[in-house]
Structure formats: structure tokens, C-alpha cells
Amino acid sequence: DGCIKAVGQADVIRNQFSEATFERIIDCSGKCVLPGLVDAHTHPVWAGDRVHEFAMKLAGASYMEIHQAGGGIHFTVEHTQKATEDELFTTLQHRLGRMLRAGSTLVECKSGYGLNLETELKMLRVIERAQKSMDIGISSTYCGAHAVPKGKTATEATDDIIKNHLPKLKALTLSGEMHVNNIDVFCEKGVFDLESTRRILQAGKDIGLQINFHGDELHPMKSAELGAELGARAISHLEEVSDEGIVAMARAKCAAVLLPTTAYMLRLKQPQARKMLEEGVIVALGSDFNPNAYCFSMPMVMHLACVNMKMSMNEALAAATINAAYALGKSDTHGSLEVGKQGDLLIINSSRWEHLIYQFGGHEALINYVIVKGKVIYENGRCETMSSY
């Protein structure tokens, strides 16, 4: 059934299953078996890359300056609105395949480059298709409040989402056409303020969606306090979180999804991972894969978390497995090697698991097998012919 039947010492398991027959036996001598990685925050459905903006950023333009010059999210929205469903699906398949080969077996996928009902639903249908046709696990997020559409105020956009988008989503869910897990809002100065964010998140919660939103990224907005109050499952970014917000999140068992790639690429101050951990916040990691932070690799995210956010390797592994699964409401089935949990595993070509973090950008010759629900989904032949050292 794709679930783990036994975990323990090899000789004990050999005795326990001495009568059993297996379709396949993998010799892991000298290798490590780890839980599949969980990427708790991605934006993988879009058209039109923003490689030209990277040059602008390197020349000193800020995120909001690019946004106001018609770049950023609005540039991607324009291209995504024009793209067909099939075009979007083909690129999503390709991107998820790259994530899988880098060790991610469960990925959160957001909409949010539509901003109108028609394109948001197109993106969610593309995610739904991937859920049904691909081996990688997907948690689907409606993020219609990712930016304020051109020609609308934030209040008008909020009203449109609550009156039109969410009722349509609810109807499609009830008819079984769509399975959306989370609701997200970009709570930020000049985007959706705290009150608009509260209204949208509460309306999403009322139709059964988990709250999992962008907060306190570029400016302190009291997003963490709001999330704790609303019973949010997770809040992402948190570069500008307040001390009170950290305490509130710890009390509410609301996960912090930290995104070291974004802080690194936008040259923002790093999220306070150490303070959060010391205060008892559940810290998870995500790649924030999107046209602004083009990174597929959770091993690289873990490395950046250790170096730039001062997390230990053990903390980074927990944050990219069990805690990231918790942030998606899936820690009872994913994120650790335990009997009864889904058989999502990595086998790495090293006798020490820390190589997954230590080798910066080295996962391509290190990840030997990716297994989802007990099936080998990816086998890397290069690992058999070369030592990982």
C-alpha cells in the first residue's frame, strides 16, 4: 500500500520478513536512507521568465522598485494569463521533475499569477493535473491575493476574491473537480494590508482551507500575530517579524516557513531562525521557487539555512522534512521514517547523511534513489560508478 512496514536494525528486519518475497531489493551498504524532502513553499506554475530582472537587482534595484516599474509579479501575470493550460502543464511537469531529482517528494504549489478568476482557476487545474498524473506529492494552494490586479484597489480586489473567487472554488471542491488545500495572501505594505488579509484568510478558512500565507517579508506588518490569532497552519518569509509575533506563533503552534533563497537573492536581512527555534517555533524550510528566486533544490536551501540563518544541520534536516510536512498539515503521513507513514525516501551515495547539506550544489551525483510510496521514481546511475567523496 506504499506505506512503511518496518524500521529498525537490519538483522531484526531480516528475521521478521524471512518468509517474505520482494519485487526488488536495494543494497544500501555504505549509503544513507533519509525521509523524502518536503518543499513547503513554491510558485511553480507560470510563463515568461524574469532573467532580465536579475540584472536589475544586481545593479541595485529593489523588489518594490521593479514591481512599480511593471516588472515583478505583474510581468509574470501578463505572460501566465496568455499561456494555455497545456503550455503551463508542460513547464510544471518539467519543474516538478527537477525538484524530484533534487530529493523533494512532497511540494506545496501555489497559484497566484492569474489575479483574475479565470487564470487562477486555470493554474489550479494545472496543479490538479499534476497531482493526478505525477508521482511527486503536491499540496495545492490558492493564492489569488498575490498582488493587487492592475486597475483595482486592494479593497476591490479583496471583495472580488471573497464574493467571486472563493464561492467558485467551494463549488468546484464540492463537485470533486478540484482539491485545494491552503489559502495564501501576500500581506505587505502596498499590497494587501492587515485588514484585507484578515478578511480573505477568514473567508478561506470558512470554506475549509488551511491558512498558510506570506507575512512580514519587506515590512513589519504584524502578520505573525494575525496568523496566530486566526489559527494559521503556517506563515512564510518573516524576515521582519516582531518579537511578539514569534512568541504568538510558538504558542499557537503555527509553523514558520523560512525561505533562505529569497533573503539571499533579494539581499534582505535573514529571518531570525535561531530566535524562533529558541522560542519554540516550529521552523520549516521552502525553496520559494518562482521567477524571482529560481531554485529547485532543497539541499541547497538547507545549506543556505545553515550558513546564513545559523541553523545546525540536524535542525535544517528536520525543517526540510517533518516540520515542512507539518506546515502543510501532512506530518501524520509524511516527513519521517516511521511505520505506517508513506514510503517516501531518499538513498544517498554516502555513509554520512550530512553530505546532502555539506556538498553545496552536489545533489546531482549524491542522490542515488528517490522513492515515493515505496516505488523507485528516480534512479541515478552516476552514483554507482563514482564515490561521493
Side-chain angles (χ1 to χ4, degrees):
D1 60 2
C3 292
I4 296 171
K5 293 291 166 234
V7 178
Q9 295 295 331
D11 51 353
V12 175
I13 290 179
R14 277 201 195 96
N15 289 338
Q16 190 182 341
F17 291 92
S18 57
E19 304 299 310
T21 54
F22 297 94
E23 283 169 42
R24 179 164 189 188
I25 293 174
I26 298 173
D27 182 357
C28 299
S29 307
K31 298 183 179 182
C32 279
V33 182
L34 291 167
L37 303 178
V38 180
D39 188 341
H41 183 124
T42 82
H43 301 257
V45 185
W46 46 269
D49 73 37
R50 304 211 306 255
V51 68
H52 59 288
E53 285 180 16
F54 191 53
M56 290 165 73
K57 280 195 228 79
L58 296 177
S62 77
Y63 178 87
M64 278 322 237
E65 281 164 357
I66 292 168
H67 189 74
Q68 279 147 8
I73 291 170
H74 287 300
F75 178 87
T76 305
V77 166
E78 219 170 286
H79 287 77
T80 306
Q81 285 179 351
K82 288 176 189 157
T84 68
E85 210 166 299
D86 285 342
E87 285 166 347
L88 291 173
F89 179 65
T90 302
T91 52
L92 175 62
Q93 268 185 311
H94 172 73
R95 290 165 187 161
L96 289 174
R98 286 178 73 177
M99 289 178 186
L100 190 75
R101 292 191 292 279
S104 293
T105 54
L106 173 62
V107 177
E108 184 263 5
C109 296
K110 301 177 192 293
S111 72
Y113 294 117
L115 307 187
N116 60 34
L117 179 56
E118 182 194 343
T119 314
E120 287 296 312
L121 290 178
K122 175 171 73 175
M123 294 180 75
L124 290 169
R125 280 196 303 271
V126 165
I127 294 169
E128 185 86 13
R129 266 173 81 178
Q131 267 174 327
K132 288 186 172 137
S133 64
M134 295 185 73
D135 294 300
I136 196 166
I138 292 174
S139 178
S140 167
T141 301
Y142 163 75
C143 186
H146 195 200
V148 178
K150 286 183 177 171
K152 278 198 169 114
T153 65
T155 307
E156 287 166 346
T158 301
D159 290 342
D160 183 36
I161 286 166
I162 292 169
K163 288 180 187 149
N164 300 313
H165 291 215
L166 292 174
K168 183 67 180 166
L169 215 52
K170 185 182 178 182
L172 289 167
T173 304
L174 289 172
S175 69
E177 286 172 68
M178 211 165 262
H179 305 85
V180 180
N181 306 100
N182 316 289
I183 183 154
D184 191 352
V185 175
F186 187 14
C187 181
E188 184 53 73
K189 196 173 169 182
V191 193
F192 289 92
D193 66 12
L194 206 63
E195 196 41 47
S196 298
T197 301
R198 176 194 297 279
R199 287 179 59 208
I200 295 168
L201 293 176
Q202 186 60 55
K205 188 180 178 180
D206 291 345
I207 66 163
L209 299 175
Q210 287 185 127
I211 296 175
N212 188 333
F213 71 111
H214 291 62
D216 295 329
E217 179 186 357
L218 305 170
H219 300 92
M221 299 286 293
K222 296 202 181 301
S223 303
E225 291 90 326
L226 175 68
E229 181 199 323
L230 292 177
R233 171 52 69 158
I235 306 170
S236 291
H237 283 293
L238 301 166
E239 287 86 351
E240 298 287 344
V241 69
S242 69
D243 292 352
E244 297 77 16
I246 290 175
V247 170
M249 286 180 72
R251 276 205 200 107
K253 294 193 164 42
C254 170
V257 179
L258 305 184
L259 308 168
T261 45
T262 316
Y264 165 72
M265 289 186 203
L266 294 179
R267 296 171 173 156
L268 304 174
K269 77 176 187 198
Q270 294 287 332
Q272 301 177 69
R274 285 260 50 89
K275 185 172 174 60
M276 290 180 197
L277 288 161
E278 280 151 20
E279 295 282 355
V281 175
I282 298 161
V283 171
L285 290 171
S287 67
D288 197 12
F289 171 78
N290 73 74
N292 174 54
Y294 205 102
C295 175
F296 291 110
S297 163
M298 283 303 288
M300 288 178 90
V301 169
M302 292 154 81
H303 180 102
L304 288 171
C306 293
V307 174
N308 290 340
M309 300 195 315
K310 302 181 170 58
M311 289 173 76
S312 71
M313 287 193 282
N314 285 355
E315 287 165 344
L317 181 65
T321 53
I322 190 70
N323 292 2
Y326 175 87
L328 302 178
K330 289 185 180 285
S331 52
D332 53 343
T333 51
H334 293 70
S336 58
L337 304 180
E338 295 180 67
V339 173
K341 283 199 171 182
Q342 190 166 300
D344 292 4
L345 354 155
L346 305 183
I347 299 169
I348 66 165
N349 188 30
S350 168
S351 58
R352 292 195 57 159
W353 71 266
E354 290 92 343
H355 272 268
L356 196 61
I357 296 176
Y358 165 65
Q359 293 189 21
F360 189 47
H363 65 265
E364 287 179 1
L366 187 64
I367 294 176
N368 199 165
Y369 296 90
V370 179
I371 294 167
V372 176
K373 292 185 185 167
K375 267 192 352 202
V376 175
I377 302 305
Y378 170 62
E379 186 171 346
N380 185 353
R382 277 182 297 184
C383 291
E384 301 307 332
T385 55
M386 63 199 304
S387 152
S388 68
Y389 306 109

